[in-house]
Amino acid sequence: MAHVEHFEIPADDVARATTFYETVFGWTTEKWDEDNVMISPTGDGIGGDIHKREALAHPTVVITVDRIEDTVASLVANGGRVLGEIQPLGETSRWVYVEDCEGNTIGLYDETGTTA
C-alpha cells in the first residue's frame, strides 16, 4: 500500500531556510551535507528535507510505493507523466519524479531489497 514517505523543501539558502523552519515550526534538523538538511518527524508527522533548489522550484511530497515501474505504468495510463529516469538512492532504494493528471509534481520511492 502506498503512503507519504516524506516531503522536500527547495531553498536558495539552505542554512537560512533551516533556521526559518526550526524557529517557526520547532522542527529538529540534521545536516546531511552542504546542500541537504534532514528534518526529523515531530509527533505523529512525517520527516522531510531542505535541499538546494534545482530543477523543482516548489515543495514536493514523496510517496512510497511497492514497485516504481508498476506505479509509473498506472500513472501514465491515467494521464500522468514521468519526469526523468528512475534513480538509485543508496544500495536498495530508488526514486523518480512524476506529474499527476493535473500537472503537480510528486516523487515516487521504493525499496527494492537488492541493488537497483
Side-chain angles (χ1 to χ4, degrees), residues 15-72:
R16 179 180 62 209
T18 299
T19 299
F20 173 86
Y21 284 99
E22 287 174 341
T23 302
V24 172
F25 298 109
W27 291 351
T28 302
T29 63
E30 179 182 341
K31 188 174 185 175
W32 200 8
D33 60 35
E34 288 302 312
D35 294 334
N36 295 282
V37 173
M38 301 308 293
I39 301 166
S40 298
T42 56
D44 292 332
I46 61 170
D49 71 62
I50 300 170
H51 61 273
K52 188 74 169 171
R53 187 182 317 272
E54 293 180 357
L56 293 179
H58 52 79
T60 305
V61 285
V62 176
I63 300 171
T64 294
V65 297
D66 290 333
R67 188 169 177 269
I68 286 178
E69 290 85 355
D70 296 340
T71 303
V72 164

Side-chain angles (χ1 to χ4, degrees), residues 94-114:
R94 305 177 304 161
W95 66 272
V96 67
Y97 287 125
V98 296
E99 278 186 356
D100 69 9
C101 63
E102 302 302 311
N104 298 304
T105 301
I106 57 175
L108 301 178
Y109 169 86
D110 73 4
E111 294 183 358
T112 60
T114 61

